Amino acid sequence: MNIRMSSTALAATLVLGIAAGPASPALAVGAGAPAISGHSAHRTPVTEAPDAEALRTAIAGLPKDDATAALVRVSGSGGDWRGSSGVHDLVSGRPADPDGRFRAGSVTKVFTAAVVLQLAEEGRIGLDRPVRRYLPDLIPAAYEDVTVRQLLNHTSGIPSVGSGGDLDDWYAHRFDLHDPERTVREATSLEPDFAPGAQQHYANIGYTVAGLLIERVTGDTYASQVSRRVLEPLHLKDTYFPGTDPTVRGPHNHGYQLFGTGELRDVTVWGATDAWAAGDLISTTADLERFTRALFDGRVVRGPLLQEMFTLPDASVREYGTGKPAAYSAGLSVMRLGGREVWGKTGGRWGYNTVVAATRDLSRTLVYSVNSTDAKGDGMNPTAMNIVVAAFGAPSAG
């Protein structure tokens, strides 16, 4: 198998402006596109059946250069489609398990945001209150104006830490254990990237703080709170938090990563404590589909607070370093696909890319897991890109 991604395919994905990975946009607004539009066309339900031929074509031929397996679920008012392709592992070559668990990466942020919003609904957290009010020992005076809402929509200005080094360095330290409090102390010892609320910078750090905020307010662990408030009520029996366990428990398909030397390594066993409340969730496509439908339907976060997940910062807020429009709400982001607004989130861990996405009215939903060979690349994985376009249509800017 030729394991090198073609430069043509990569260039095409970059032109379309969708990125994947642990610190990249989930479903990012295209250049010049309005973040939220009032045009009725954008609210038109998807009534046609999923394009089964396009979806089959999108995942055909695996394993290949960019991916070894793909699991896809599309649902909505036009009907449902399920498909899988590729292999469980490259050694045995047996078919991929369509019900296999996988690392969901930054899709974890949607669960974290939902729990914070639940606590806000209960009056235990104020979205406009300073985070320092709840975590005075962790958040220094230099960050006293950062609010809870700014953690969730990536406008806090707290800088990222711990993301240096190349792939070989990450691999060498894949079993290291990371303490979230130490990560926050390190980040807040640095100068802010910008004044709170002035710009938007997608990163894990805000959700690391949010996880600690959940623990401080509830007196319980982050994992326990998400399990009790979300996983158990929705019967997400195949979704769990691995903690310090670097393995994926239960049925799963192996993840592979292409290294600079051209070597393809099995990276299935890899610790996720560096991501924690920002990216350590393990799940299945069935569970994530159930979660997405319940979330958008108001059965996880209720009332006005649900709208926080579908509201971007003020139009004056731009992306840090690029000046592009802000693309992130609390836990989600938005893109125009097939002439409609699609809200969702991507996740990337080594060997795994994930998406949860849906129209606001749930007339079309998409969940996939792609065992990408460059899960943290600069552009979206070609197989993943093909799935998105097959499910919703091509990205549009106007």
Side-chain angles (χ1 to χ4, degrees), residues 167-199:
L167 178 54
D168 288 303
D169 185 59
W170 276 98
Y171 185 78
H173 293 278
R174 65 192 184 280
F175 299 133
D176 289 0
L177 299 180
H178 301 264
D179 177 65
E181 289 194 9
R182 181 175 179 179
T183 298
V184 172
R185 291 185 194 281
E186 181 182 355
T188 57
S189 70
L190 305 174
E191 291 293 320
D193 283 340
F194 47 81
Q199 298 182 65

Side-chain angles (χ1 to χ4, degrees), residues 28 170 179 181 224 254 264 269 288 298 319 321 349 352:
W170 276 98
D179 177 65
E181 289 194 9
S224 174
H254 287 227
L264 198 64
V269 180
L288 291 182
E319 183 182 16
R349 294 294 297 177
Y352 299 89

Side-chain angles (χ1 to χ4, degrees), residues 93-176:
R94 72 177 191 265
D97 183 345
D99 301 316
R101 292 173 174 173
F102 50 83
R103 300 189 186 280
S106 286
V107 171
T108 309
K109 292 182 175 70
V110 190
F111 288 76
T112 303
V115 171
V116 172
L117 292 172
Q118 285 185 3
L119 290 168
E121 180 185 10
E122 295 165 11
R124 302 170 73 179
I125 288 176
L127 296 183
D128 291 316
R129 291 178 181 173
V131 181
R132 191 167 190 247
R133 175 170 179 172
Y134 304 100
L135 298 168
D137 53 321
L138 283 176
I139 306 301
Y143 291 92
E144 64 183 354
D145 294 328
V146 172
T147 67
V148 175
R149 178 180 281 108
Q150 290 162 352
L151 293 179
L152 299 183
N153 67 16
H154 304 280
T155 61
S156 71
I158 302 174
S160 297
V161 293
S163 58
D166 59 16
L167 178 54
D168 288 303
D169 185 59
W170 276 98
Y171 185 78
H173 293 278
R174 65 192 184 280
F175 299 133
D176 289 0

Side-chain angles (χ1 to χ4, degrees), residues 20-339:
S24 303
L27 293 170
V29 178
I36 299 178
S37 173
H39 297 300
S40 59
H42 301 159
R43 299 194 297 270
T44 303
V46 182
T47 57
E48 67 272 17
D51 189 334
E53 182 178 357
L55 288 163
R56 282 193 295 267
T57 300
I59 62 174
L62 300 183
K64 57 184 182 181
D65 290 8
D66 65 289
T68 60
L71 316 177
V72 182
R73 297 175 72 95
V74 178
S75 67
S77 55
D80 301 336
W81 188 88
R82 309 284 183 261
S84 63
S85 180
V87 295
H88 167 270
D89 65 276
L90 293 175
V91 176
S92 73
R94 72 177 191 265
D97 183 345
D99 301 316
R101 292 173 174 173
F102 50 83
R103 300 189 186 280
S106 286
V107 171
T108 309
K109 292 182 175 70
V110 190
F111 288 76
T112 303
V115 171
V116 172
L117 292 172
Q118 285 185 3
L119 290 168
E121 180 185 10
E122 295 165 11
R124 302 170 73 179
I125 288 176
L127 296 183
D128 291 316
R129 291 178 181 173
V131 181
R132 191 167 190 247
R133 175 170 179 172
Y134 304 100
L135 298 168
D137 53 321
L138 283 176
I139 306 301
Y143 291 92
E144 64 183 354
D145 294 328
V146 172
T147 67
V148 175
R149 178 180 281 108
Q150 290 162 352
L151 293 179
L152 299 183
N153 67 16
H154 304 280
T155 61
S156 71
I158 302 174
S160 297
V161 293
S163 58
D166 59 16
L167 178 54
D168 288 303
D169 185 59
W170 276 98
Y171 185 78
H173 293 278
R174 65 192 184 280
F175 299 133
D176 289 0
L177 299 180
H178 301 264
D179 177 65
E181 289 194 9
R182 181 175 179 179
T183 298
V184 172
R185 291 185 194 281
E186 181 182 355
T188 57
S189 70
L190 305 174
E191 291 293 320
D193 283 340
F194 47 81
Q199 298 182 65
Q200 187 173 74
H201 184 194
Y202 178 82
N204 284 347
I205 188 62
Y207 279 75
T208 302
V209 179
L212 293 170
L213 175 63
I214 290 169
E215 294 195 336
R216 184 65 60 87
V217 169
T218 65
D220 193 9
T221 67
Y222 158 77
S224 174
Q225 281 293 302
V226 179
S227 296
R228 185 176 69 80
R229 291 170 172 271
V230 181
L231 306 189
E232 293 170 10
L234 296 180
H235 305 290
L236 306 183
K237 297 179 180 178
D238 290 312
T239 301
Y240 74 96
F241 296 95
T244 59
D245 183 357
T247 68
V248 179
R249 300 197 300 267
H252 62 278
N253 302 308
H254 287 227
Y256 294 87
Q257 178 69 33
L258 179 64
F259 282 68
T261 59
E263 178 188 4
L264 198 64
R265 297 182 192 172
D266 188 325
V267 293
T268 308
V269 180
W270 194 308
T273 59
D274 61 305
W276 193 53
D280 68 346
L281 192 76
I282 290 174
S283 191
T284 64
T285 55
D287 273 8
L288 291 182
E289 182 182 73
R290 188 179 300 115
F291 168 71
T292 301
R293 298 194 70 84
L295 179 71
F296 280 49
D297 201 34
R299 289 182 282 126
V300 179
V301 180
R302 298 173 177 82
L305 285 166
L306 176 60
Q307 192 58 32
E308 291 288 332
M309 305 191 84
F310 299 97
T311 302
L312 300 180
D314 184 89
S316 64
V317 176
R318 315 296 283 188
E319 183 182 16
Y320 177 65
T322 70
K324 295 179 180 179
Y328 292 91
S329 62
L332 300 174
S333 68
V334 64
M335 190 178 181
R336 292 275 306 287
L337 296 168

